Amino acid sequence: MDDAQLTLDLDGWEGPLDLLLSLARGQKVDLRKISILALVEQYLAYVDSARALKLELAADYLVMAAWLAYLKSALLLPRDPLAEPDPEELALRLQLRLERLSAMREAGARLMARDRTGRDVFLRGAPEGLRTVRKAAWQAEIFDLIAAYGRISARTRPVMHVVVDREVMTLEAALERVSMLVGERIDWSVIESFLPEAGERLRRSALASSFVAALELARQGKIELRQASPFAPLYLRARA
């Protein structure tokens, strides 16, 4: 016999408590001969021994014993015809709930007894994984299409670089002009006097080119340079 089962040894009954409750509901056992005191004492003794077992099972037996006491009190006391619900109906409900609870526990035990990963069964050494299938659902309006076409067209359109022809004086032209003009002058002349009459942009280019040309002619020993202080006017003349 299972150690976790509550077995009663009373004057009018010897056996499991759940079977006694089922027979009492069907009026197959005379509850008048069953001592409630002996039932309580045996239940308390069972609870003391069940501390190391399953306390939830002891709680179920407590409900069963309480219903036995209720059924016996219903037999001893005068029955009220207006009392609802009927004690037999309540006992039937209790029996159905206990059966349902037992079925749930058995199902849970079967689930826990199944093979477990890592203990009974093992995963594959080289798992293949799951293949992900992606399908794009495009949503675009006419403005989005036109903008996308414009960006692609701008990237693929051939680019033409046009270099603007600017008015500049080359170093060769400045050397030729300064060499020619400096030979016609005897005294010191400021470098701005060697610049051609032109716009502001060409004048700045001519000044830079003329300065480099003056340095080159001075290096060659053809002219002399003079400047009183930094950023002062630069003078030049032909070397005698």
Side-chain angles (χ1 to χ4, degrees), residues 33-52:
K33 297 181 180 180
I34 294 187
S35 174
I36 298 299
L37 178 60
L39 174 63
V40 173
E41 291 177 351
Q42 293 184 24
Y43 176 76
L44 292 177
Y46 172 79
V47 171
D48 291 337
S49 62
R51 291 178 180 176

Side-chain angles (χ1 to χ4, degrees), residues 29-87:
V29 175
D30 189 4
L31 294 178
R32 295 182 180 87
K33 297 181 180 180
I34 294 187
S35 174
I36 298 299
L37 178 60
L39 174 63
V40 173
E41 291 177 351
Q42 293 184 24
Y43 176 76
L44 292 177
Y46 172 79
V47 171
D48 291 337
S49 62
R51 291 178 180 176
L53 299 175
K54 298 180 179 180
L55 293 181
E56 61 272 12
L57 186 59
D60 295 339
Y61 285 143
L62 175 60
V63 176
M64 295 180 188
W67 274 103
L68 275 178
Y70 177 75
L71 292 176
K72 183 172 181 179
S73 64
L75 293 175
L76 297 178
L77 298 176
R79 182 174 180 180
D80 186 4
L82 300 179
E84 293 183 359
D86 186 49

Side-chain angles (χ1 to χ4, degrees), residues 1 7 11 13-14 24 26 37 39 43 54 65 74 80 90 107 134 146 148 183 185-186 194 202 204 225 234:
M1 187 176 296
T7 303
D11 294 338
W13 173 260
E14 182 178 358
L37 178 60
L39 174 63
Y43 176 76
K54 298 180 179 180
D80 186 4
L90 292 177
R134 293 186 175 89
I146 295 176
R185 302 180 185 183
I186 302 176
F194 295 92
L202 179 59
R204 287 185 296 177
L225 299 178
L234 180 65

Side-chain angles (χ1 to χ4, degrees), residues 6-214:
L6 174 57
T7 303
L8 302 177
D9 186 6
L10 305 174
D11 294 338
W13 173 260
E14 182 178 358
L17 175 59
D18 52 352
L19 180 59
L20 174 60
L21 180 61
S22 178
L23 294 177
R25 183 180 59 82
Q27 297 182 357
K28 296 180 181 180
V29 175
D30 189 4
L31 294 178
R32 295 182 180 87
K33 297 181 180 180
I34 294 187
S35 174
I36 298 299
L37 178 60
L39 174 63
V40 173
E41 291 177 351
Q42 293 184 24
Y43 176 76
L44 292 177
Y46 172 79
V47 171
D48 291 337
S49 62
R51 291 178 180 176
L53 299 175
K54 298 180 179 180
L55 293 181
E56 61 272 12
L57 186 59
D60 295 339
Y61 285 143
L62 175 60
V63 176
M64 295 180 188
W67 274 103
L68 275 178
Y70 177 75
L71 292 176
K72 183 172 181 179
S73 64
L75 293 175
L76 297 178
L77 298 176
R79 182 174 180 180
D80 186 4
L82 300 179
E84 293 183 359
D86 186 49
E88 295 182 0
E89 182 181 355
L90 292 177
L92 178 60
R93 293 180 184 178
L94 174 65
Q95 183 68 21
L96 293 177
R97 291 179 181 178
L98 292 176
E99 291 177 357
R100 184 182 301 174
L101 178 61
S102 178
M104 292 172 60
R105 288 179 176 172
E106 290 179 1
R110 287 196 299 269
L111 287 176
M112 296 301 297
R114 295 180 61 185
D115 295 340
R116 296 185 181 180
T117 304
R119 188 191 67 180
D120 304 306
V121 295
F122 300 92
L123 300 177
R124 182 176 176 179
E128 297 179 355
L130 299 177
R131 185 169 60 91
T132 303
V133 179
R134 293 186 175 89
K135 295 182 179 180
W138 303 102
Q139 294 181 357
E141 298 181 356
I142 185 64
F143 176 78
D144 301 327
L145 296 177
I146 295 176
Y149 174 77
R151 290 192 295 267
I152 296 176
S153 177
R155 290 198 301 265
T156 58
R157 188 183 302 119
V159 180
M160 297 180 61
H161 296 280
V162 179
V163 180
V164 180
D165 188 12
R166 297 187 302 174
E167 292 182 317
V168 295
M169 177 178 283
T170 62
L171 180 59
E172 291 77 8
L175 280 172
E176 183 180 356
R177 182 179 179 81
V178 172
S179 299
M180 180 182 63
L181 294 179
V182 77
E184 298 176 356
R185 302 180 185 183
I186 302 176
D187 200 359
W188 293 95
S189 301
V190 69
I191 191 172
E192 282 81 359
S193 61
F194 295 92
L195 303 182
E197 296 293 336
E200 182 65 25
R201 180 177 300 178
L202 179 59
R203 186 175 179 82
R204 287 185 296 177
S205 174
L207 177 61
S209 300
S210 298
F211 175 73
V212 176

